[in-house]
């Protein structure tokens, strides 16, 4: 069975993403074969085509950490041909061939049957949107309610940030969106942000304060580094920060004071190994009460053959929202 794919090959000093026809040997191990409708563009996909990116050990590989589409063959009774599904996380797109191809094969225990979402909507959400939903759910489980106080979203124009703003506003929260991108206010306001502020801390060269003025009941942070340190120092008593990223650095120049004097909780968010039962439950909620109200506003679209240029826009910091990569009929 031959099919078309965008294949990442290691070259002298680089990685090339090439459109080519491949065979059955490019279908990964698994029990569910999916005709891919859409994938999406993620920072991890950029790392997969970046020399020394640290996420791929062995090339060639088909990137694409998000897969949405239709089951064409299943050896597992949970799925039947025609089922609309999404698969992401685990080793997809980094150690097992992913969604930048007409066909993909994965284990059934990595697959989620869609309910309340189309395959395009699921791709618009993708790993980033699911991470945002995990972050919001973690804050809800911690006891955060709309009456508790404002919720801060850092990196608000990114994939996690835009979806988090949309979901939180839809749940009735007062959302404060932090971004360094000029001109982003209109989009963030349309998604439901009540207030738009610049990057935090306001003075990136200032020495971090162990405790600042308490401002937020909770936070969704995809930045890390000094920004997260500042956020933790300004969360109100008993509040929490759901943390999923490190675009601002992996270091955390803070102290224990926010945790032992204000009872702040640091909630780590990882969508890669998130258990499948909880994953399926949260996707069901994303198709129902947690469904973002403005997916069309934050969604961009590009054919899969333009994946590299989209990923390079992410590299350059010129990308906002979520980009759906059309696969079916786009090679």
């Amino acid at each position: 069975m031959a099919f078309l794919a965008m294949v990442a090959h290691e070259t002298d000093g680089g990685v090339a993403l090439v459109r080519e026809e491949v065979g059955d040997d490019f279908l990964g191990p698994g029990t569910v074969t999916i005709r891919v409708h859409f994938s999406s563009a993620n920072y991890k996909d950029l790392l997969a085509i970046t020399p020394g990116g640290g996420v791929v050990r062995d090339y060639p590989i088909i990137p694409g950490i998000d897969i949405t589409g239709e089951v064409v063959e299943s050896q597992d009774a949970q799925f039947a041909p025609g089922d609309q599904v999404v698969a992401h996380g685990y080793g997809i797109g980094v150690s097992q061939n992913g969604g930048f191809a007409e066909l993909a094969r994965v284990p059934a225990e990595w697959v989620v049957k869609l309910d309340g979402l189309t395959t395009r909507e699921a791709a618009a959400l993708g790993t980033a949107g699911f991470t945002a939903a995990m972050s919001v759910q973690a804050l809800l489980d911690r006891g955060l309610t709309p009456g508790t106080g404002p919720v801060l979203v850092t990196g608000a124009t990114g994939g996690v940030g835009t979806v988090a703003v949309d979901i939180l506003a839809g749940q009735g929260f007062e959302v404060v969106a932090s971004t360094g991108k000029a001109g982003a206010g209109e989009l963030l306001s349309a998604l439901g942000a009540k207030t738009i502020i610049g990057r935090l801390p306001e003075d990136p060269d200032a020495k971090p304060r162990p405790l600042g003025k308490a401002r937020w009941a909770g936070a969704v942070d995809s930045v890390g580094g000094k920004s997260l340190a500042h956020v933790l120092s300004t969360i109100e008593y008993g509040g929490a920060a759901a943390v999923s990223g490190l675009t601002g650095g992996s270091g955390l120049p803070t102290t224990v004071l926010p945790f032992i004097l204000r009872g702040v909780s640091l909630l780590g968010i990882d969508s890669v190994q998130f258990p499948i039962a909880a994953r399926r439950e949260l996707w069901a909620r994303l198709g129902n009460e947690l469904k973002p109200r403005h997916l069309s506003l934050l969604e961009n679209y590009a054919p899969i053959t333009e994946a590299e240029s989209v990923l390079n826009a992410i590299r350059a910091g010129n990308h906002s929202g979520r980009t759906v990569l059309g696969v079916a009929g786009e090679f």
Side-chain angles (χ1 to χ4, degrees):
M1 177 191 317
F3 59 97
L4 293 171
M6 301 298 295
V7 185
H9 294 270
E10 198 167 27
T11 63
D12 290 339
V15 177
L17 190 62
V18 181
R19 176 190 180 276
E20 60 185 84
E21 186 175 80
V22 297
D24 284 1
D25 56 323
F26 268 79
L27 287 174
T31 52
V32 178
T33 304
I34 301 166
R35 188 175 308 283
V36 182
H37 293 170
F38 304 97
S39 188
S40 68
N42 297 277
Y43 186 73
K44 200 169 186 178
D45 297 315
L46 169 61
L47 293 178
I49 65 166
T50 299
V55 298
V56 175
R57 290 186 177 181
D58 298 310
Y59 293 91
I61 192 167
I62 300 172
I65 66 172
D66 292 330
I67 299 169
T68 74
E70 176 183 349
V71 174
V72 293
E73 181 181 303
S74 176
Q75 300 171 30
D76 190 289
Q78 297 177 90
F79 301 99
D83 285 346
Q84 308 291 293
V85 296
V86 59
H88 63 103
Y90 307 107
I92 295 172
V94 291
S95 61
Q96 178 160 326
N97 288 321
F100 289 8
E102 291 181 308
L103 293 174
R105 180 178 291 152
V106 296
E109 57 269 24
W110 294 1
V111 182
V112 177
K113 193 180 298 185
L114 290 173
D115 181 15
L117 292 166
T118 66
T119 54
R120 179 160 176 163
E121 289 173 328
L125 288 165
T127 293
F130 186 78
T131 301
M134 286 182 66
S135 301
V136 173
Q137 188 62 59
L139 293 175
L140 294 174
D141 292 344
R142 186 68 173 75
L144 196 69
T145 64
T148 309
V151 179
L152 174 70
V153 178
T154 65
T157 60
V160 174
T162 49
V163 178
V165 169
D166 201 355
I167 294 175
L168 285 165
Q171 296 298 302
F173 286 94
E174 177 188 341
V175 181
V176 179
S178 169
T179 178
K181 291 187 177 177
E186 184 176 350
L187 170 63
L188 293 171
S189 294
L191 293 177
K194 183 175 181 179
T195 307
I196 293 94
I197 63 175
R199 285 194 179 106
L200 296 172
E202 289 87 351
D203 182 359
D205 297 322
K207 183 178 179 180
R209 296 180 62 186
L211 285 177
K213 180 181 177 181
R215 301 175 65 185
W216 333 107
V220 174
D221 179 80
S222 59
V223 177
K226 288 184 177 180
S227 180
L228 176 56
H230 178 84
V231 170
L232 290 170
S233 75
T234 52
I235 289 181
E236 295 173 354
Y237 189 90
V243 180
S244 62
L246 44 65
T247 58
S250 59
L252 185 56
T254 189
T255 71
V256 298
L257 295 185
F259 311 111
I260 65 173
L261 295 184
R262 288 186 180 160
V264 171
S265 295
L266 182 62
L267 309 174
I269 304 298
D270 168 56
S271 66
V272 177
Q273 297 297 331
F274 196 57
I276 190 60
R279 186 183 298 259
R280 288 169 177 165
E281 181 179 345
L282 187 53
W283 269 108
R285 296 197 69 197
L286 269 170
N288 192 3
E289 70 269 23
L290 289 183
K291 188 172 183 178
R293 301 171 301 168
H294 304 102
L295 268 179
S296 61
L297 293 181
L298 57 87
E299 178 204 299
N300 308 296
Y301 182 87
I304 190 63
T305 49
E306 295 180 11
E308 188 167 12
S309 64
V310 175
L311 294 175
N312 283 332
I314 294 176
R315 188 195 309 276
N318 298 324
H319 184 270
S320 296
R322 298 282 297 138
T323 294
V324 172
L325 296 172
V327 175
E330 294 284 20
F331 273 98

